[in-house]
DNA sequence: CATTGTAGACCAAACGCTTGCTCAAATTCG
DNA sequence: CGAATTTGAGCAAGCGTTTGGTCTACAATG
């Protein structure tokens, strides 16, 4: 995850994700944190206002609706982590490294500094409007496609034995669940955790 | 899961879970289904009323609050599935069978006929009142204790290699996620799925 | 240099609606 | 009859959102 900040800067400068220093960005990151902590429905526009120091009504100067905030949190989160994933894969051509990278990047997406947003995407899917779902779905499909490509290759090479689509879903569950119990500085690092999930996927110790 | 209906009857007759034919039971099962489909917060008391044919006001004759309905859904679900698990373990003394039973029972709890309630317990935890959490937590600890006992034994015997507590959490994630993608009659049975999760846990094909 | 215009950010108040829940009266039933 | 149950109207609170207007910074104009 060495270059994850680098990519973030690139995406901010190219305008693909909102500058966290801008009012829009402040609202966005605050909202992501609150959505994660209390849930989307339990978070009121007034809550976001209080935490950002912006009055509730003024939030709607920056976003058309609360739903647009949720959609933006999800959208920018997947853009960011898709960027991280692609970049990480470029520098690791070996098959087993690529599988490990997938695990590692997703663990980082869920539990790293920008982990709130990715968690929100997983947990609050049902609260997204229909148009929102359509937008996010396209991005998610690209992300899942990368996973399946690598897993299929790994299956063919005998690195994993389970059917790729089932394995992905089981692993996705394991990974999505980690934020509920994993805490930094608790004797288990994200690297350690990557090892364990790798072992789960391949059946072999790393 | 042959005897799962049997145990349900026993628990109903002994009054440990609500009779589904009683007004309380009708409300309970309807609520569980709605909570699962739309989420607890998105489900209104009026929704439950409409589906049960009971007017909103009358719901509160059977339950003190909406929160009490949620708590009861969770509580009875864990009582039922804890009963199923204990019964199933009694008839399977071999270590490897017991591990497989744990997986199988939890998959059934999430995806079987009474799967709505168990899903609600996992997904709507944050929406439970503080007293509710305390009640459910005690029951959950008993359930998790059984898992850890078996996993520790399996670890000592070399059936699994990962640390029991980490393995349990990773498996819990996989299992909790299954309702989002698993559908009956889709070429993959719950038995097949049990095999896959077993393989995930042990690293060996069943 | 002073004035005016413009645009983004923000404020204060309130609107319309939904929510969980209450309650007195009516009804049903043992 | 009396107790349990159901009814339907309605309350108080909270929600997302709208509105009309102010403040500030800065560029254009005379």
């Amino acid at each position: 995850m060495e270059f994850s900040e680098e990519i973030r800067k690139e995406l901010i400068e190219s305008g693909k994700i909102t500058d966290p220093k801008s009012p829009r960005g402040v609202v966005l990151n605050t909202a992501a944190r609150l959505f994660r902590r209390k849930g989307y429905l339990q978070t009121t526009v007034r809550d976001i206002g209080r935490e950002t120091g912006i009055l509730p009504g003024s939030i709607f100067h920056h976003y058309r609706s609360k739903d647009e905030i949720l959609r933006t949190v999800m959208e920018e989160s997947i853009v960011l982590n898709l960027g991280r994933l692609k970049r990480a894969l470029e520098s690791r051509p070996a098959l087993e490294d690529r599988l490990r990278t997938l695990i590692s990047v997703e663990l980082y997406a869920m539990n790293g500094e920008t982990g709130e947003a990715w968690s929100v995407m997983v947990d609050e899917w049902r609260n997204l409007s229909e148009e929102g779902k359509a937008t996010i779905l396209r991005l998610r499909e690209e992300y899942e496609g990368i996973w399946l490509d690598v897993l299929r290759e790994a299956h063919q090479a005998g690195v994993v034995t389970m059917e790729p689509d089932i394995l992905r879903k089981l692993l996705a569950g394991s990974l999505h669940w980690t934020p509920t119990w994993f805490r930094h500085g608790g004797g288990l690092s994200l690297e350690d955790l990557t090892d364990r999930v790798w072992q789960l996927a391949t059946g072999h110790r790393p």
Side-chain angles (χ1 to χ4, degrees), chain A residues 185-198:
Chain A
L188 191 79
S189 69
L190 271 185
E191 285 248 343
D192 296 334
L193 192 48
T194 305
D195 288 342
R196 303 302 185 283
V197 177
W198 163 273

Side-chain angles (χ1 to χ4, degrees), chain A residues 94-200:
Chain A
L95 175 59
E96 303 207 355
D97 282 346
R98 262 149 62 223
L99 178 51
R100 199 175 198 284
T101 296
L102 282 172
I103 297 169
S104 165
V105 167
E106 190 157 320
L107 276 173
Y108 188 77
M110 303 222 62
N111 302 287
E113 330 104 39
T114 59
E116 294 105 352
W118 189 266
S119 293
V120 166
M121 186 177 56
V122 173
D123 294 338
E124 306 290 353
W125 177 256
R126 70 153 37 121
N127 295 316
L128 197 60
S129 64
E130 290 308 314
E131 323 104 75
K133 283 181 187 165
T135 310
I136 308 299
L137 205 56
R138 253 178 294 124
L139 288 162
R140 282 223 59 120
E141 272 165 7
E142 185 180 354
Y143 182 85
E144 292 299 323
I146 296 176
W147 260 95
L148 283 178
D149 284 345
V150 174
L151 283 182
R152 272 193 279 259
E153 206 178 324
H155 187 250
Q156 213 129 32
V159 175
V160 304
T161 57
M162 204 182 300
E163 301 93 317
D165 56 332
I166 300 179
L167 179 57
R168 167 55 185 155
K169 283 163 185 159
L170 292 176
L171 289 180
S174 287
L175 294 166
H176 293 162
W177 192 244
T178 55
T180 65
W181 59 271
F182 177 79
R183 291 292 171 271
H184 289 96
L188 191 79
S189 69
L190 271 185
E191 285 248 343
D192 296 334
L193 192 48
T194 305
D195 288 342
R196 303 302 185 283
V197 177
W198 163 273
Q199 184 183 341
L200 217 60

Side-chain angles (χ1 to χ4, degrees), chain A residues 4-22 25 29 76 79-80 84 114:
Chain A
S4 86
E5 264 310 305
E6 207 177 299
I7 290 188
R8 189 138 174 265
K9 269 184 199 155
E10 285 177 27
L11 289 169
I12 292 168
E13 275 163 27
S14 67
K16 304 216 174 188
I17 62 178
T18 309
D19 184 350
K21 292 192 296 286
S22 73
N29 294 329
E76 301 207 353
V79 166
L80 171 60
R84 283 174 175 162
T114 59

Side-chain angles (χ1 to χ4, degrees), chain A residues 34-46:
Chain A
L34 289 173
F35 291 167
R36 166 71 189 285
R37 193 195 312 155
K38 320 202 318 173
Y40 173 73
L41 293 169
Q42 301 273 45
T43 302
T44 68
V45 176
R46 288 165 177 83

